[in-house]
Amino acid sequence: MEGEVNGTFLPSCGESEPPYAQELLESLDLAGRFLFAILTLMTLIANLVFIEEVIYIYRKIPSSKRSILIWINAAAPVIATTSCIGMWIPRSTMFTDFTASVFFAIVIHKFLMMMIKECGGQKLFLKRFENGHFKISTGPCCCCCLCLPGVRITRRSLFWLKLGTFQFAVFRPVFMFLSTVLWTNGNYSLSNLSPKGAAIWISCFIAILTIIALWPVAIMFQQVRVLLNCKKIIPKFALYQFILILNHLQTAIINILAMQRIIPCAPPLSSPARGAYISHQVLIMEMFLITLIARVVYRRRYDELDPPECITEEAGVKKQTPILNVTVSEDGLRGL
């Protein structure tokens, strides 16, 4: 490891606390400072792109969809901004992660509401799928349970789907706030995953709530992906999935590698601090690219769906159109 030199262990590698911002900046060489400047510029550009997108949404998008689209488009710039702050100020990692996690918990609920809004709202959604069924044998809960029966689409079942994402938007901030309070008192540490520690229990509860929240979004996507294909719902869902995986799964993997000392320390950064440092830098680049792609996907104006009555009437007209079979005999032709 880098922290071991001639059998001696550098003191900074054994420290659990990240360094102060001034210590980190003084330890950077020319390449490190250049990387900091580039990543900060990426964050600034991502925020400028988002501001321009907000202006476009207010000018071109109906008022009923503005708030939802702004929340969803803000996910990548907000995560890039919190990561940039965490990169510059390593000791703020707990608070920046808290902000990004809470914000994305709300975005998950907003994405579900966006799919309903794109179908014309709750009433039109129920009218379009009044005889349909939700396919609940989908990830992340029941992707292997293919024998599960479909759930009839009603106002009640739609309410339970919305409640599944809303609970995450409510309880995730509560658990993150509790984690921050315990962390300030020294009772919460990701390096202490023993049953007596608070981190293992809070992490398990958050994981369960996350799975419960992601399930309704997947169920709704399976239901509307054909109908909303004209509104590019598949690329939008892919961007949402990328943010989810990169912000949660990728960060968790890097943190586990750092806690196991697989990611070596680099003074003045200990292994856990360096893991968070690398995670922030990677997230900035990834969220920058996602912000640019989201601008292309969400900026396009899509035609509104036809009301269910029009679709029903057109189908009825096609069924009722008589087919005329005109038969002309040979004698008739001779008479002419």
Side-chain angles (χ1 to χ4, degrees):
M1 290 175 59
E2 294 179 13
E4 296 178 3
V5 182
N6 298 327
T8 62
F9 189 77
L10 295 177
S12 59
C13 286
E15 295 178 358
S16 58
E17 290 294 330
Y20 290 101
Q22 185 177 357
E23 297 176 23
L24 177 63
L25 294 175
E26 288 175 353
S27 67
L28 293 176
D29 55 7
L30 182 60
R33 293 176 182 177
F34 180 75
L35 179 62
F36 261 55
I38 292 296
L39 294 176
T40 305
L41 181 61
M42 284 183 174
T43 305
L44 179 61
I45 294 174
N47 281 279
L48 291 176
V49 170
F50 169 67
I51 292 172
E52 191 268 342
E53 183 68 14
V54 170
I55 295 172
Y56 173 83
I57 289 173
Y58 267 100
R59 288 181 177 177
K60 304 293 185 179
I61 304 298
S63 58
S64 59
K65 300 179 183 179
R66 287 174 188 167
S67 174
I68 293 176
L69 292 179
I70 289 174
W71 273 96
I72 295 173
N73 278 275
V78 167
I79 294 173
T81 302
T82 55
S83 299
C84 186
I85 295 172
M87 179 185 69
W88 280 92
I89 309 173
R91 293 202 172 205
S92 69
T93 297
M94 189 70 185
F95 301 98
T96 56
D97 290 350
F98 169 83
T99 304
S101 299
V102 169
F103 191 89
F104 193 71
I106 299 173
V107 169
I108 292 175
H109 178 66
K110 293 291 184 180
F111 193 87
L112 176 73
M113 299 304 297
M114 183 200 72
M115 289 190 285
I116 298 174
K117 282 284 185 183
E118 292 289 14
C119 292
Q122 179 172 313
K123 291 183 179 179
L124 288 179
F125 176 85
L126 294 173
K127 190 169 290 187
R128 291 179 192 278
F129 300 103
E130 58 184 349
N131 297 320
H133 291 77
F134 285 123
K135 180 184 177 183
I136 61 174
S137 57
T138 183
C141 286
C142 303
C143 54
C144 298
C145 305
L146 300 178
C147 58
L148 287 176
V151 176
R152 192 166 180 272
I153 299 176
T154 61
R155 189 179 299 273
R156 187 181 186 84
S157 60
L158 187 60
F159 168 77
W160 282 109
L161 289 185
K162 292 192 288 186
L163 184 64
T165 56
F166 183 74
Q167 57 82 22
F168 191 57
V170 173
F171 289 115
R172 183 64 188 268
V174 173
F175 278 106
M176 291 303 296
F177 177 75
L178 179 62
S179 302
T180 306
V181 172
L182 294 175
W183 173 74
T184 58
N185 196 46
N187 303 115
Y188 181 90
S189 175
L190 290 175
S191 59
N192 180 19
L193 296 178
S194 64
K196 295 182 179 179
I200 185 67
W201 297 106
I202 292 178
S203 299
C204 288
F205 279 121
I206 290 178
I208 293 171
L209 294 177
T210 303
I211 292 173
I212 294 174
L214 297 180
W215 194 24
V217 178
I219 292 172
M220 182 62 69
F221 174 71
Q222 291 292 334
Q223 187 66 36
V224 303
R225 64 177 180 177
V226 175
L227 178 66
L228 298 182
N229 188 44
C230 59
K231 296 196 174 187
K232 303 298 181 185
I233 192 62
I234 295 177
K236 292 176 182 178
F237 185 76
L239 289 175
Y240 151 82
Q241 291 279 64
F242 275 127
I243 297 175
L244 173 68
I245 293 171
L246 297 174
N247 187 44
H248 289 78
L249 186 60
Q250 174 185 269
T251 302
I253 291 173
I254 293 176
N255 288 336
I256 291 172
L257 294 176
M259 286 187 291
Q260 297 299 320
R261 308 285 181 179
I262 297 175
I263 297 178
C265 66
L269 295 169
S270 61
S271 291
R274 192 183 181 199
Y277 177 75
I278 293 172
S279 176
H280 289 150
Q281 292 181 330
V282 173
L283 274 175
I284 291 172
M285 292 184 282
E286 292 166 342
M287 294 303 117
F288 170 74
L289 294 175
I290 289 177
T291 302
L292 298 181
I293 297 172
R295 180 186 180 277
V296 176
V297 174
Y298 282 92
R299 191 178 179 85
R300 293 179 58 186
R301 299 183 66 181
Y302 304 103
D303 296 331
E304 294 295 329
L305 298 175
D306 294 330
E309 295 85 356
C310 296
I311 299 173
T312 306
E313 289 176 4
E314 289 179 5
V317 169
K318 290 179 180 179
K319 289 181 180 179
Q320 295 174 6
T321 302
I323 300 175
L324 300 176
N325 293 321
V326 180
T327 305
V328 181
S329 63
E330 293 182 1
D331 295 336
L333 290 173
R334 289 172 183 171
L336 292 173

